[in-house]
Amino acid sequence: MNSREVALNIINRVLEEGAYSNLVLSKELNDSDLNEKDRALVTELVYGTIRRKKTLDIIISNYVKDISLMEDGVLNILRMAIYQMHFLDKVPDFAACNEAVELSKNISLQSSKLVNGILRSYTKNPDDIEVSDSPIDKLVYTYSYEPWFIRMIYKQYGEENGRKILAGLNATPKVTVRVNTNKADFDEVYEKLEEMGYDVEEGYACPEAIIIKGGSSIENNELFREGYITVQDESAMLVAPLLDINEGDVVLDLCSAPGGKTTHAAELLEGTGKVYAFDLHENKLSLITENVERLGLNNVEVDAMDATKLNSKYVSMADKVLIDVPCSGLGIIRKKPEIKWNKSRKSLKDLVPTQREIMENAWQYLKQGGTMIYSTCTLNNEENGENVEWFLNKHKDAVIEKIFLGNMDNFIYEKNGALTILPNEYMDGFYIAKISKK
């Protein structure tokens, strides 16, 4: 299979079968014999086409009466071709067009004629796309989101930050790694990566972060395999240090998989204390265990547990509790663009009771004088600030601590002391609140 066939296959699976883009992409690339350049093209086509689906559909709708009557396979071929023509400079239009026509011949001759006709019409006048005059439709065309999402973000964040979020979630994410300070110091790892031919720079917001700007896949790198580094977004890297971990602390991470924050907490304990890492899904526990073993940590215990059900065994046991609760994931659209299309306003509201149950139980596991971190990778205030306010009103022994991590232009310090991180090319959208038990 050539690169465009592989890309189309993945796009079909994500948009038609609801598969996760990152997992399917990783599997298909591992199973293929494509070279580095072709693998990069597949990645670009998959993420780009899914990310810009709404814009691409508006363009295609200029050339067909009713886009909803088109076959899914044909529509995805058109989306992928127009993504290349509209958004990529390095692919010549004729190449994208010819490849699309060839791909559509696999469906039917009729389909290939339709695809050829639409793409040739588009290349004649690519700037004459009609978009309705309503301000929201213009934003839908420019940034490619569902209208309800744009309205919600603008309502919660205002126009200026709203635009930052819409643009930031469309940014191509950088690969960032966290240095395992139990095994090596930062400079040592940084220099070793440079020697191995990686293009690296220091983290954007985190002292233990290294940004990998170029080089071969990091998971096949010996520093990764031997546990000197682990892949983690810089937003997530901020969480564990905010627990103010002391030697010998008992830390509970109630929603641990795949274990990024768990292992970070364990590293900060420097071989002392204990981190209890729980997750609801048994099948995800192996991910945590793999990371713990690779990083050489011996102070972590991994177990299956439902964070929404109180387990009396852990009541008043923890010095620190971390709850990175299940959320709508709107802050990680850069890495999983299909989130744009598989969430609804209702699905966001449905998460709130679960998040509140987890907060209630976490509070019971925490000793007096202990610290709880509530974090999410979403930007929806109902799952963030509103949950924290609800919790503080209910628990008179809960005090929110002020977080301050320097003046970054994508950090919003909330009035109550919590931190909202706006997405950009370096960081996912994120929310962190730090609550002490007096």
Side-chain angles (χ1 to χ4, degrees):
M1 282 169 98
N2 71 21
S3 50
R4 285 180 178 82
E5 281 177 294
V6 173
L8 179 65
N9 191 20
I10 299 169
I11 291 165
N12 284 334
R13 288 204 50 201
V14 174
L15 294 180
E16 312 319 328
E17 296 168 26
Y20 294 117
S21 57
N22 57 331
L23 300 181
V24 186
L25 179 70
S26 158
K27 185 183 179 316
E28 292 282 335
L29 289 181
N30 287 339
D31 293 348
S32 75
D33 49 8
L34 297 174
N35 62 31
E36 284 291 329
K37 192 170 164 235
D38 282 344
R39 293 163 83 89
L41 177 63
V42 171
T43 304
E44 174 68 59
L45 293 180
V46 168
Y47 284 132
T49 304
I50 297 169
R51 184 184 294 133
R52 296 288 185 174
K53 178 171 86 87
K54 205 79 181 167
T55 306
L56 302 169
D57 286 359
I58 291 170
I59 294 172
I60 296 164
S61 295
N62 273 250
Y63 303 99
V64 292
K65 269 211 180 79
D66 187 352
I67 193 172
S68 68
L69 299 176
M70 291 184 82
E71 260 184 89
D72 293 335
V74 177
L75 184 54
N76 286 334
I77 289 170
L78 282 168
R79 284 168 173 157
M80 191 168 79
I82 290 177
Y83 174 71
Q84 293 167 77
M85 295 169 168
H86 192 80
F87 290 102
L88 299 185
D89 302 330
K90 52 183 184 279
V91 179
D93 283 0
F94 72 86
C97 180
N98 292 345
E99 284 279 352
V101 171
E102 285 306 311
L103 284 172
S104 53
K105 281 179 185 167
N106 296 333
I107 297 173
S108 70
L109 194 60
Q110 195 56 41
S111 301
S112 69
K113 286 179 178 160
L114 176 69
V115 166
N116 189 30
I118 290 173
L119 294 180
R120 296 218 180 281
S121 301
Y122 170 71
T123 44
K124 284 190 194 116
N125 304 303
D127 301 324
D128 292 354
I129 300 301
E130 283 183 25
V131 184
S132 97
D133 280 339
S134 92
I136 205 91
D137 287 344
K138 283 192 159 55
L139 289 169
V140 167
Y141 179 67
T142 305
Y143 294 107
S144 192
Y145 296 90
E146 296 288 6
W148 71 263
F149 180 83
I150 296 174
R151 286 194 187 93
M152 180 186 85
I153 291 295
Y154 269 47
K155 189 177 170 194
Q156 292 183 8
Y157 288 90
E159 188 173 344
E160 191 188 339
N161 281 330
R163 272 187 192 266
K164 272 191 190 172
I165 289 168
L166 299 182
L169 291 175
N170 281 334
T172 303
K174 302 250 191 271
V175 176
T176 47
V177 296
R178 185 184 83 230
V179 175
N180 178 0
T181 47
N182 288 197
K183 283 202 171 188
D185 71 13
F186 184 91
D187 295 338
E188 215 180 310
V189 173
Y190 192 93
E191 281 162 24
K192 193 91 176 73
L193 283 167
E194 282 189 317
E195 280 165 29
M196 291 172 158
Y198 286 89
D199 182 7
V200 290
E201 64 178 70
E202 286 182 20
Y204 170 81
C206 299
E208 60 274 72
I210 297 175
I211 298 164
I212 313 274
K213 295 198 297 185
S216 57
S217 161
I218 204 76
E219 272 90 352
N220 302 326
N221 174 295
E222 67 181 86
L223 288 176
F224 177 83
R225 284 201 308 265
E226 289 167 18
Y228 288 90
I229 53 174
T230 197
V231 176
Q232 189 179 30
D233 190 83
E234 283 199 56
S235 292
M237 269 183 229
L238 296 173
V239 174
L242 285 169
L243 284 165
D244 299 328
I245 286 171
N246 302 310
E247 199 176 299
D249 272 352
V250 171
V251 181
L252 263 59
D253 183 350
L254 299 189
C255 314
S256 170
K261 300 176 196 73
T262 287
T263 53
H264 199 180
E267 284 166 23
L268 294 170
L269 280 165
E270 297 182 337
T272 71
K274 191 85 163 173
V275 181
Y276 291 90
F278 300 108
D279 204 86
L280 172 61
H281 304 286
E282 291 257 1
N283 58 337
K284 287 186 177 173
L285 299 181
S286 59
L287 293 172
I288 309 170
T289 307
E290 260 167 49
N291 279 317
V292 167
E293 285 171 0
R294 185 175 55 78
L295 296 165
L297 301 164
N298 51 17
N299 54 350
V300 180
E301 195 172 298
V302 181
D303 208 354
M305 183 166 86
D306 182 347
T308 64
K309 310 249 187 310
L310 187 72
N311 185 332
S312 56
K313 184 175 160 186
Y314 301 104
V315 169
S316 302
M317 178 177 161
D319 300 288
K320 310 283 155 71
V321 178
L322 166 57
I323 44 172
D324 188 60
V325 296
C327 71
S328 55
L330 303 179
I332 56 170
I333 283 173
R334 298 182 316 152
K335 298 192 176 112
K336 296 179 180 172
E338 66 274 13
I339 289 173
K340 287 184 175 192
W341 320 121
N342 62 23
K343 293 285 186 254
S344 65
R345 200 77 188 83
K346 182 182 181 305
S347 72
L348 270 54
K349 287 191 189 315
D350 291 347
L351 289 159
V352 171
T354 300
Q355 291 160 344
R356 293 184 176 184
E357 282 170 0
I358 293 172
M359 292 173 94
E360 288 287 351
N361 294 336
W363 198 242
Q364 293 207 50
Y365 299 146
L366 191 64
K367 291 177 184 169
Q368 281 186 331
T371 302
M372 175 172 91
I373 296 270
Y374 176 87
S375 67
T376 74
C377 57
T378 188
L379 294 157
N380 170 28
N381 191 40
E382 286 168 288
E383 300 172 70
N384 294 342
E386 285 183 24
N387 273 347
V388 169
E389 286 307 318
W390 165 85
F391 185 81
L392 293 172
N393 287 333
K394 196 170 172 199
H395 294 272
K396 295 305 164 216
D397 56 347
V399 180
I400 191 161
E401 304 281 344
K402 197 172 169 138
I403 294 173
F404 183 73
L405 299 168
N407 290 314
M408 311 298 283
D409 66 354
N410 65 322
F411 285 10
I412 298 175
Y413 292 105
E414 306 292 350
K415 284 193 190 74
N416 66 4
L419 169 64
T420 297
I421 300 167
L422 302 184
N424 62 16
E425 60 180 310
Y426 300 102
M427 300 181 88
D428 287 332
F430 220 78
Y431 176 85
I432 311 172
K434 179 177 180 177
I435 302 169
S436 300
K437 192 176 207 175
K438 292 295 178 225

